[in-house]
Amino acid sequence: MVSAAGLSSRSPVGKRASSSGVLAREKVETGKYEKAGKNMLKDLVAVRSEFRPLEATPPFLEYLADESARLESASPEAIIAWGVEHYAPYLTMATAFGPEGCVILSMLARIAPETYVFNLDTGYQFQQTLDLRDRIARKYGVEVDMLQPELTVPEYEVKHGGPLYKTNPNQCCFDRKIKLLQTGVREKHAWMSGIRRDQSADRARAPIVGWDEKFHLVKISPLANWTKQDVWKRILAEDVPYNPLHDQGYPSIGCWPCTRAVLEGESDERSGRWSGSAKTECGLHTLAEQDGSGI
Ligand code: SF4
């Protein structure tokens, strides 16, 4: 196992000393990160040819906390570029094609389009979600890998005597999401997700970058500080493809059996997920296996 210091061309301490405060003051120019990302990725692929897992040593955790604090006022593009600089080619992204994921994909396409991006294709996704994958690929040339569970939906439902999402949704999420995420992040050092702090109480404490204890890798949340309005402003300004279900009362979209449109008066954008049960997350963004959410 190695610490971040062993992977980066600059040690955590050296990086802090040389760049502290600079990124926070920078005005982000997307073009700058496009070039930086592509060049960095090319160089780093050559240098980092042998995978060794990261180790969450106390100095490394301290380094991540410092970097996260420093990136608090950085733009999402700068945070993505940070991820590419430090962890490519062992950087990945998981997306459920939510508005946040689509925005990050549009940024990633400019900064580091070679990044491996995957979707947890549970077999229960809406057709509109599956179609969005192709729309993104056409617009940005980013092909999202659809990871599928070992058993098809019919095989899985026969095995469990019916749809498990009705009787044991935690197990269903574990089998059809968590296990796939474990596959997607295999031999990776860092993963990006589209969570925002204002989405839920669970997510309110998410750092910009931090150690993901569940999956044993660095977790990067470029949009942690963005609001829902920020996301939609970017989508509309740049004509980023998005799921048409959002225009039909679905602010948050997961698998069709566990997602409904929000009702009038419901202010929580995730209130249509696992409606009628105590479950609020699928387990991707929480430590406990029994709860946990969409990406
Ligand atoms: Fe199963 Fe529902 Fe979880 Fe999808 S969201 S994996 S259908 S329990």
Side-chain angles (χ1 to χ4, degrees):
M1 290 211 170
V2 293
S3 69
L7 284 162
S8 178
S9 56
R10 284 169 284 183
S11 73
V13 172
K15 182 156 183 61
R16 279 204 305 274
S18 65
S19 60
S20 176
V22 173
L23 201 51
R25 291 195 300 273
E26 269 179 357
K27 279 214 167 194
V28 171
E29 299 162 52
T30 304
K32 173 180 163 185
Y33 289 108
E34 284 174 33
K35 284 189 203 133
K38 282 174 189 160
N39 290 338
M40 284 186 293
L41 195 57
K42 205 168 55 186
D43 295 344
L44 290 168
V45 167
V47 172
R48 301 173 188 167
S49 53
E50 187 192 339
F51 178 82
R52 285 178 292 167
L54 290 178
E55 188 182 358
T57 60
F60 182 41
L61 296 181
E62 189 189 339
Y63 160 71
L64 287 181
D66 286 352
E67 288 295 88
S68 190
R70 192 175 65 80
L71 290 165
E72 275 294 331
S73 52
S75 70
E77 287 92 340
I79 296 167
I80 293 169
W82 180 92
V84 173
E85 180 187 4
H86 289 78
Y87 298 111
Y90 304 122
L91 170 70
T92 187
M93 174 188 172
T95 183
F97 300 105
E100 296 79 13
C102 294
V103 166
I104 294 177
L105 281 169
S106 73
M107 296 170 176
L108 200 57
R110 293 191 288 256
I111 298 168
E114 305 88 343
T115 305
Y116 174 67
V117 184
F118 63 93
N119 166 266
L120 311 179
D121 191 7
T122 61
Y124 291 114
Q125 293 189 104
F126 288 93
Q127 186 59 46
Q128 291 90 332
T129 306
L130 301 176
D131 294 344
L132 188 50
R133 183 225 183 242
D134 299 331
R135 292 168 56 208
I136 295 271
R138 274 197 300 275
K139 174 140 187 170
Y140 299 115
V142 174
E143 299 269 350
V144 175
D145 192 16
M146 308 297 274
L147 294 180
Q148 290 164 343
E150 210 175 303
L151 299 181
T152 64
V153 165
E155 288 168 346
Y156 190 67
E157 293 188 355
V158 164
K159 179 181 173 185
H160 292 285
L164 206 57
Y165 57 76
K166 287 186 178 171
T167 54
N168 191 348
N170 288 326
Q171 187 64 48
C172 185
C173 277
F174 182 76
D175 293 339
R176 305 192 78 79
K177 286 188 176 179
I178 304 285
K179 282 184 178 174
L180 294 182
L181 189 80
Q182 287 167 341
T183 301
V185 301
R186 192 173 294 150
E187 298 213 344
K188 294 286 184 290
H189 285 149
W191 72 296
M192 286 187 289
S193 87
I195 62 171
R196 302 190 334 262
R197 287 177 181 150
D198 67 350
Q199 281 172 314
S200 68
D202 271 339
R203 298 177 180 200
R205 291 161 293 162
I208 303 290
V209 296
W211 182 250
D212 187 329
E213 285 182 34
K214 182 181 277 185
F215 299 107
H216 304 288
L217 72 176
V218 175
K219 184 170 178 178
I220 303 170
S221 302
L223 301 181
N225 270 332
W226 270 27
T227 63
K228 184 178 175 180
Q229 287 71 26
D230 292 328
V231 171
W232 281 99
K233 199 171 152 195
R234 177 64 67 93
I235 286 174
L236 297 176
E238 296 192 358
D239 198 20
V240 176
Y242 66 89
N243 196 321
L245 289 171
H246 293 308
D247 294 331
Q248 297 167 36
Y250 292 79
S252 176
I253 299 167
C255 297
W256 63 261
C258 304
T259 306
R260 64 156 172 79
V262 296
L263 308 173
E264 213 171 304
E266 285 181 328
S267 55
D268 180 352
E269 66 182 270
R270 294 181 60 77
S271 55
R273 305 289 295 275
W274 299 283
S275 173
S277 80
K279 186 174 169 66
T280 57
E281 297 270 356
C282 67
L284 303 179
H285 301 296
T286 56
L287 268 179
E289 292 289 352
Q290 68 271 21
D291 31 43
S293 157
I295 34 186

